Amino acid sequence: MTSSKPFPTIVEVKTYLVGSEGDGADYHSQSRGHWIIDSPIANPMSRYSQYKTSRVQWGINVLGSFCVSIKASDGTTGFATGLGGPPACWIVNAHFKRFLLGSDPRDTNLLWDQMFRASMFYGGKGLPIAVISCVDLAIWDLLGKIRKEPVYKMIGGCTKEKLSLYSTGPLPKEAKRLGFWGGKVPLPYGPEEPDGMSKNIEFLTKHRREVGPDFPLMVDCYMSLNVQYAIELATKCLPLNIEWWEEVFPPHDIDGFKRLKSALPQLKWTTGEHEYTRYGFRDLIATRSIDILQPDVTWVGGLTELLKISAHAAAYDIPVVPHASSCYSYHFAISQTNTPFAEIVCNAPDGKTVQPSFGNLFLNEPLPVNGIIEVSALDAPGFGLVLNTAVKLIDAEKALVMGVDRVLSPADAEKVSES
């Protein structure tokens, strides 16, 4: 009787900075003139006039992208990109690597829990959880490649013949033209803006007129409103038939969401993009005020944590529709019965074409055709992404000066790696 072949273990963990603008997971890392950073978009900093011209003025792009590569003892490599830049690389190299080396990559729950518990004294939300997310996605990519299976087949298989997408961008009429089932626009003005209420209504009325009465139109408020303003705006926009109002407050404003749902129960209120782990989503679910949960798989804790959130939400019949994140979200969405569709954030500077969410980082990022991702586009092992070797990746171990009170910027890091 022959024994089964030992499963490969993790033998190498490497991190990289992305040396080019517009490539990687930070979709706000764009050249000036791109709609996502230079359009009027209401946000928590809208009250400060010196930071209103562009969102990069207050630092929405300050973290940047990073990448994690995990190599197994059989030579297979898993790879993922996430948000966090040099600080994220630092956390992986100085802290999380100890839990990964020598481990069985199938132990996703154990590895996640060790990284989470070990970083509690400085983590729990925000950057440390985003770092865990990228590591977790790289592990799932590795597992799929070892097993020669796409990720969605390992987390429940196919629950739908194809995946329908809506598009977030500045021009919902272009989303309609490109075949997406709906279009989401960022709200341009916050409560502090003079005449902001009337300008917001005018803005949304214009888009409703352009897409017609039946095309789903959603509004992303990016944590910029207060209860009174949100209720007044949504009430005045009732004739516009807005499909949902998204992230009107930061996710921790539990009482605010309860008051919204009580005031306008006929409307859909959604949130979750900037919430972290199952613990944060447990509190949102408990309000019974959120109609769609929208975690970002590259921030919330990765696929391992997203599956737990989805299971919890399913018990309350709450849809889970991940925020952006391309094929990382597509594999999840195709496998879940309570995820009816997915999102793509328009990466074209003018908002008029479909472009890869991760820029040029991968050679074969699946793109929707007529607003649809076919299951066959997700059938390669792991997440199926092929790294573009023409994109400059900077080895973070060479770039980061460990033990020094300074983390290098990508530009500084590139100089170090070339020296």
Side-chain angles (χ1 to χ4, degrees):
M1 183 176 178
T2 58
S3 61
S4 61
K5 184 179 179 181
F7 201 83
T9 56
I10 296 172
V11 297
E12 181 182 79
V13 179
K14 295 185 71 64
T15 58
Y16 299 91
L17 298 170
V18 181
S20 50
E21 199 169 50
D23 298 327
D26 186 0
Y27 57 91
H28 292 108
S29 179
Q30 304 288 352
S31 300
R32 293 301 300 268
H34 196 292
W35 75 266
I36 205 165
I37 57 174
D38 282 341
S39 296
I41 295 177
N43 63 77
M45 293 290 286
S46 293
R47 65 180 59 186
Y48 301 111
S49 59
Q50 67 267 43
Y51 300 117
K52 286 176 61 174
T53 305
S54 172
R55 292 198 286 174
V56 299
Q57 290 176 316
W58 56 261
I60 197 170
N61 63 335
V62 70
L63 287 176
S65 300
F66 86 114
C67 301
V68 174
S69 173
I70 299 181
K71 186 177 181 180
S73 54
D74 68 346
T76 307
T77 299
F79 185 91
T81 185
L83 180 71
C89 296
W90 189 296
I91 291 172
V92 174
N93 289 317
H95 196 181
F96 291 162
K97 187 182 289 188
R98 71 191 70 193
F99 307 114
L100 305 171
L101 292 175
S103 296
D104 186 329
R106 293 173 295 182
D107 297 336
T108 53
N109 284 335
L110 174 65
L111 296 175
W112 194 98
D113 195 59
Q114 289 176 341
M115 289 186 288
F116 177 71
R117 290 178 178 274
S119 59
M120 274 184 176
F121 70 99
Y122 64 89
K125 290 181 182 286
L127 177 62
I129 303 302
V131 177
I132 292 173
S133 301
C134 190
V135 173
D136 183 75
L137 291 169
I139 292 172
W140 279 101
D141 188 53
L142 175 65
L143 280 174
K145 289 175 179 174
I146 292 173
R147 290 173 165 169
K148 296 180 172 53
E149 286 188 306
V151 167
Y152 79 86
K153 284 294 187 183
M154 299 190 293
I155 59 173
C158 189
T159 64
K160 46 188 74 73
E161 294 181 358
K162 57 187 178 183
L163 185 61
S164 297
L165 271 64
Y166 75 89
S167 177
T168 295
L171 300 170
K173 67 178 181 180
E174 295 299 323
K176 183 178 181 179
R177 180 183 65 82
L178 292 167
F180 295 101
W181 69 258
K184 187 171 71 187
V185 292
L187 190 74
Y189 305 109
E192 298 85 5
E193 181 77 21
D195 301 319
M197 179 69 72
S198 61
K199 289 192 287 188
N200 279 332
I201 295 170
E202 181 182 357
F203 171 84
L204 295 174
T205 300
K206 169 181 173 290
H207 285 303
R208 171 52 74 199
R209 187 182 305 117
E210 288 178 346
V211 298
D214 300 321
F215 184 71
L217 180 65
M218 296 78 82
V219 183
D220 186 348
C221 304
Y222 202 81
M223 305 178 288
S224 64
L225 307 184
N226 57 54
V227 172
Q228 183 276 331
Y229 190 95
I231 292 174
E232 183 179 353
L233 176 62
T235 300
K236 289 181 176 180
C237 288
L238 284 173
L240 300 181
N241 189 29
I242 300 299
E243 181 73 12
W244 72 64
W245 295 87
E246 180 171 322
E247 211 176 25
V248 290
F249 315 130
H252 58 256
D253 191 355
I254 299 299
D255 183 66
F257 284 111
K258 289 180 179 178
R259 291 173 65 188
L260 282 183
K261 195 61 178 175
S262 176
L264 293 163
Q266 74 274 38
L267 297 182
K268 295 191 187 81
W269 305 97
T270 75
T271 194
E273 171 184 340
H274 292 100
E275 188 54 275
Y276 300 88
T277 77
R278 60 190 179 274
Y279 302 110
F281 280 86
R282 174 188 61 189
D283 295 339
L284 285 175
I285 291 169
T287 69
R288 304 309 299 270
S289 305
I290 310 302
D291 296 287
I292 300 175
L293 295 172
Q294 298 167 307
D296 188 307
V297 67
T298 66
W299 306 343
V300 76
L303 184 59
T304 298
E305 192 71 350
L306 181 55
L307 290 169
K308 294 178 173 64
I309 293 165
S310 180
H312 188 179
Y316 293 84
D317 294 322
I318 303 174
V320 177
V321 178
H323 166 256
S325 298
S326 185
C327 65
Y328 299 136
S329 290
Y330 302 158
H331 279 263
F332 166 83
I334 210 77
S335 72
Q336 302 297 299
T337 56
N338 62 323
T339 300
F341 46 80
E343 176 190 25
I344 186 170
V345 175
C346 179
N347 208 20
D350 62 0
K352 294 182 178 180
T353 58
V354 177
Q355 296 187 12
S357 298
F358 300 132
N360 296 313
L361 186 61
F362 302 107
L363 295 173
N364 63 336
E365 184 179 329
L367 296 178
V369 178
N370 294 322
I372 298 294
I373 293 287
E374 298 288 348
V375 178
S376 58
L378 307 176
D379 275 341
F383 288 110
L385 295 169
V386 176
L387 187 63
N388 182 1
T389 56
V391 172
K392 178 79 171 181
L393 292 184
I394 303 160
D395 189 331
E397 286 191 77
K398 296 178 182 178
L400 298 179
V401 183
M402 307 301 289
V404 178
D405 290 343
R406 190 167 88 91
V407 178
L408 300 180
S409 70
D412 291 334
E414 187 165 2
K415 295 176 184 177
V416 172
S417 68
E418 292 174 348
S419 63

